[in-house]
Amino acid sequence: MTRRITRLLVANRAEIASRVFRTCRALGIETVAIHSDADAALPYVREADTAVQLPGNAPSETYLRIDLVLDAARRSGADAIHPGYGFLSENAEFARAVIDAGLIWVGPAPESIDAMGSKIEAKRIMREAGVPTLEAPAEPTEADLPLLVKASAGGGGRGMRVVRRLEDLAGEIAAAEAEALSAFGDGTVFVEPYVEQGRHVEVQVVDTSVYGERDCSIQRRHQKVVEEAPAPGLSDEVRAALHEAARKAAEAVDYRGAGTVEFLYDPATERFFFLEMNTRLQVEHPVTELVHDVDLVERQIASAESSWTMGWSDPPRSHAIEVRLYAEDPSADYQPQSGTLTTFEIPLEDGIRVDAGFESGSEVSTHYDAMLAKVIAHAPTRRAAARKLAGVLSRAKIHGLVTNRDLLVSILRDEAFLRGDVSTDFLGGFETGASAPSSTTESSAVAAAIALAERAKGVRTVQRGIPVAWRNVTSQPQRTEFEGGLVVEWFGAYSVEGHTVVAASADSVTLETDGVRSTYDVAVVGDAVDVDGPEGHVRLTRVPRFVDPADAVASGSLLAPMPGTVVRVAVEQGQTVGAGDPVLVLEAMKMQHTVSAPYAGVVTEINVSTGAQVASGEVLAVVEEA
């Protein structure tokens, strides 16, 4: 029986909500957004025809509350619910509740979600269906290392740990259980062999039709960073076998709707093994849409309405690459960042697609995933797509937060990546720091200093006719200092050694250096100065001329690396600790981060307790060196 959807609620937030709304508008379906307090000002809320607030911020009190989501559907008059990805998207109880409420569930049957929801049970079903699986020994030995501990109920890298020493296995299992329980409400984990040089290749299905494969091998913390379609370097035989295995997997659970069957592929042997089946739309679905010319959300809706006939997709005739732009610092072990995204402008050029959840001025909170946007390039060849995507990312203006943008550009321009030499440990030896060449930093600093001077000139209330930096007696240069030891010295009329200032304003400076003329865009927020030039983006922080002694902290102070929640205090005041011993554990953006002792000593202060909310830079504890 065909049921028509007239008003659809997306039980999710940010980028994926906007993505589903876009297809709904094209189909003439009205839309409903739900939002927490922290998300009230995000773009997806105003893009919807109707929005319903879920009071609170934590996922457990908002987006994970089945009763609140159903009540929002009732109050807004929605007749269908799309779960997006994450949160309740693979929750069979939620799917049943939606169906029992008389609403259309845009997803697979609850029975299919149950069957694939436990990775342990999913493996059993796949074995019976003839799909190859990875199996770990009941009693692992040194010969079985390395091993991978995985959460049975979740994904996205949470509750996943690599074990390289048998003595670490018990501790890593406990840590994975705690992380899985926090992220998914289920602490069940299992252990399987870890293939060091394997590739993560997955197949898109809708019902039991196959829409090609994607390569998602480039990952950090077991979470995908770069995805592409089709997967490079696969033989026709392997590609056909992967597609057939995915079709068998879908048939084994009578699958309906969009889903993804994930495999671990070993290039050395050309063998592949079932990892899991995601019973939802994947984050990386745009690359499949672009190379197969299909709208997967539209297919999801049609499947839920029982209004389309299954069929095989056409082979891809082009290539698409997607990168996930995260608010995180790769040079600091990918620590998530939060705060105001003061500028967020990504060029929309031919062949470029941007699925974003944020915009200039958006607040990035600590409550949810750190992904800001997905940027996708579509081109006739893989190298053309990589070059186009790297160029657009390098020209993007992203201010206010540290992101992984420079890392993504480096990956896309890396010769090994361009050859297709990718694996799940690709980033293991990759240079993650974004260190700009000294000449680039120097030019940016000069531009920043000149723009700051122009800015000061523009806000004068007296002596407005006097030139910038004018002095009666020129005894010494003007001096502007930035963190990191960068100092710019200049005299009146912007005389800077090695540079000629061609034009200057509070937000743009043109310099000529060694006969080469370049223009730098400058944005100032407080002491932070963002400079975008031909060589990329540099963020500088101006050092104040006078420092308040009250701002200093005691030696040995352990500062919060990010805003978050204290989930464990591992020591007591007066306790002796060794270098690297855990002192506290913070949780931010659904990941746990350990704050360790910088050296051997004694804990003289503990300023927080379990459950406390802390701000970035807050003094958590003090360790006095032995």
Side-chain angles (χ1 to χ4, degrees):
M1 180 182 71
T2 301
R3 296 180 62 188
R4 307 299 293 180
I5 296 173
T6 59
R7 181 174 294 177
L8 182 144
L9 180 147
V10 176
N12 220 293
R13 62 182 293 276
E15 172 268 324
I16 185 56
S18 292
R19 165 67 192 92
V20 176
F21 293 160
R22 187 163 67 244
T23 292
C24 287
R25 285 194 294 271
L27 296 175
I29 297 173
E30 295 178 5
T31 55
V32 181
I34 57 173
H35 66 87
S36 66
D37 295 342
D39 287 343
L42 290 189
Y44 82 98
V45 177
R46 65 172 180 271
E47 289 169 1
D49 296 307
T50 305
V52 180
Q53 181 181 12
L54 307 181
N57 285 317
S60 59
E61 59 187 12
T62 53
Y63 300 106
L64 291 175
R65 285 279 300 274
I66 294 175
D67 57 333
L68 295 184
V69 174
L70 292 179
D71 182 62
R74 178 190 60 79
R75 287 192 284 151
S76 62
D79 56 7
I81 291 182
H82 189 300
Y85 52 71
F87 294 136
L88 295 168
S89 63
E90 295 179 280
N91 187 310
E93 178 189 352
F94 179 50
R96 290 190 181 93
V98 171
I99 295 168
D100 291 345
L103 304 174
I104 298 175
W105 166 247
V106 184
E111 294 75 19
S112 298
I113 299 174
D114 271 334
M116 295 292 102
S118 164
K119 293 182 176 67
I120 298 171
E121 175 65 10
K123 281 192 172 187
R124 183 193 65 77
I125 295 173
M126 292 302 104
R127 283 195 300 270
E128 293 179 357
V131 179
T133 60
L134 272 175
E135 304 297 334
E139 295 292 335
T141 66
E142 293 285 346
D144 299 312
L145 295 174
L147 296 168
L148 184 64
V149 183
K150 296 178 71 174
S152 179
R158 283 114 190 163
M160 191 179 293
R161 303 289 177 115
V162 177
V163 180
R164 302 187 183 278
R165 302 187 308 169
L166 278 182
E167 57 265 35
D168 295 338
L169 182 58
E172 294 291 14
I173 287 175
E177 287 174 340
E179 201 164 78
L181 184 63
S182 173
F184 314 116
D186 184 345
T188 305
V189 301
F190 65 97
V191 179
E192 67 182 17
Y194 181 59
V195 180
E196 292 275 12
Q197 298 294 323
R199 285 173 56 184
H200 185 123
V201 181
E202 61 189 32
V203 180
Q204 176 72 56
V205 298
V206 179
D207 294 357
T208 55
S209 296
V210 172
Y211 286 81
E213 81 290 336
R214 302 182 283 257
D215 190 292
C216 308
S217 298
I218 298 182
Q219 305 175 2
R220 58 98 174 98
R221 288 179 172 166
H222 313 292
Q223 192 164 16
K224 302 162 188 173
V225 177
V226 180
E227 300 114 339
E228 57 184 308
L234 296 184
S235 67
D236 290 341
E237 293 76 16
V238 168
R239 182 172 280 110
L242 279 164
H243 294 183
E244 179 61 19
R247 190 176 60 79
K248 286 182 179 179
E251 289 178 343
V253 292
D254 190 26
Y255 197 78
R256 293 293 178 267
T260 299
V261 187
E262 302 193 347
F263 297 95
L264 181 64
Y265 170 62
D266 185 353
T269 63
E270 292 200 319
R271 298 174 64 199
F272 58 85
F273 308 93
F274 172 82
L275 287 175
E276 62 182 316
M277 183 174 186
N278 294 126
T279 53
R280 54 171 168 81
L281 193 67
Q282 290 280 85
V283 177
E284 57 272 21
H285 75 274
V287 293
T288 296
E289 292 186 321
L290 290 170
V291 300
H292 289 280
D293 191 24
V294 62
D295 184 329
L296 290 174
V297 174
E298 182 181 8
R299 292 295 170 94
Q300 282 186 295
I301 291 172
S303 180
E305 293 181 326
S306 301
S307 60
W308 79 293
T309 304
M310 293 181 295
W312 291 79
S313 66
D314 294 329
R317 298 184 180 89
S318 54
H319 205 93
I321 303 176
E322 170 183 295
V323 293
R324 301 190 190 188
L325 189 60
Y326 285 106
E328 64 183 16
D329 187 353
S331 64
D333 195 26
Y334 300 99
Q335 282 184 2
Q337 309 290 303
S338 61
T340 303
L341 199 59
T342 54
T343 304
F344 192 59
E345 299 173 0
I346 301 173
L348 280 175
E349 301 176 359
D350 184 45
I352 293 295
R353 168 174 164 178
V354 179
D355 287 11
F358 297 84
E359 62 187 356
S360 295
S362 291
E363 193 72 19
V364 180
S365 75
T366 62
H367 303 289
Y368 317 110
D369 187 86
M371 189 174 75
L372 301 174
K374 304 178 307 195
V375 187
I376 311 102
H378 184 214
T381 67
R382 184 172 182 270
R383 280 184 175 262
R387 181 165 61 180
K388 181 182 294 187
L389 186 51
V392 163
L393 286 171
S394 66
R395 293 192 298 276
K397 291 185 178 180
I398 308 170
H399 303 163
L401 296 176
V402 177
T403 72
N404 66 335
R405 184 259 302 272
D406 291 341
L407 171 63
L408 296 173
V409 172
S410 297
I411 293 170
L412 293 166
R413 290 174 173 166
D414 182 74
E415 192 54 42
F417 172 80
L418 294 173
R419 289 195 306 268
D421 295 341
V422 295
S423 68
T424 53
D425 70 341
F426 182 90
L427 288 180
F430 203 82
E431 178 56 54
T432 57
S435 53
S438 58
S439 60
T440 301
T441 306
E442 179 188 334
S443 298
S444 297
V446 170
I450 302 304
L452 286 169
E454 284 290 311
R455 185 182 178 88
K457 172 186 174 183
V459 297
R460 283 182 188 169
T461 57
V462 296
Q463 299 181 327
R464 300 176 67 92
I466 296 179
V468 174
W470 180 85
R471 282 179 173 167
N472 225 357
V473 178
T474 307
S475 59
Q476 58 184 324
Q478 295 288 335
R479 179 184 174 91
T480 305
E481 183 177 356
F482 301 98
E483 288 184 358
L486 274 174
V487 177
V488 178
E489 293 185 338
W490 48 280
F491 290 90
Y494 298 135
S495 174
V496 186
E497 185 177 355
H499 304 274
T500 300
V501 180
V502 179
S505 69
D507 54 18
S508 180
V509 175
T510 300
L511 301 176
E512 188 171 294
T513 307
D514 294 330
V516 178
R517 186 171 294 189
S518 302
T519 297
Y520 298 83
D521 294 329
V522 184
V524 181
V525 179
D527 289 329
V529 186
D530 289 284
V531 184
D532 292 284
E535 305 89 354
H537 170 258
V538 175
R539 184 175 177 83
L540 303 167
T541 303
R542 187 178 187 180
V543 176
R545 295 181 64 185
F546 305 103
V547 179
D548 187 345
D551 292 337
V553 297
S555 175
S557 296
L558 304 185
L559 308 181
M562 70 207 76
T565 303
V566 178
V567 295
R568 185 165 73 95
V569 178
V571 297
E572 298 178 351
Q573 189 166 332
Q575 182 175 330
T576 300
V577 294
D581 285 355
V583 177
L584 305 104
V585 178
L586 294 180
E587 183 170 278
M589 292 180 172
K590 299 193 284 186
M591 300 292 285
Q592 293 193 354
H593 310 268
T594 301
V595 178
S596 304
Y599 36 66
V602 177
V603 180
T604 58
E605 288 183 30
I606 299 177
N607 301 322
V608 294
S609 58
T610 300
Q613 297 284 326
V614 298
S616 179
E618 184 174 334
V619 179
L620 306 175
V622 177
V623 176
E624 186 175 304
E625 189 172 9

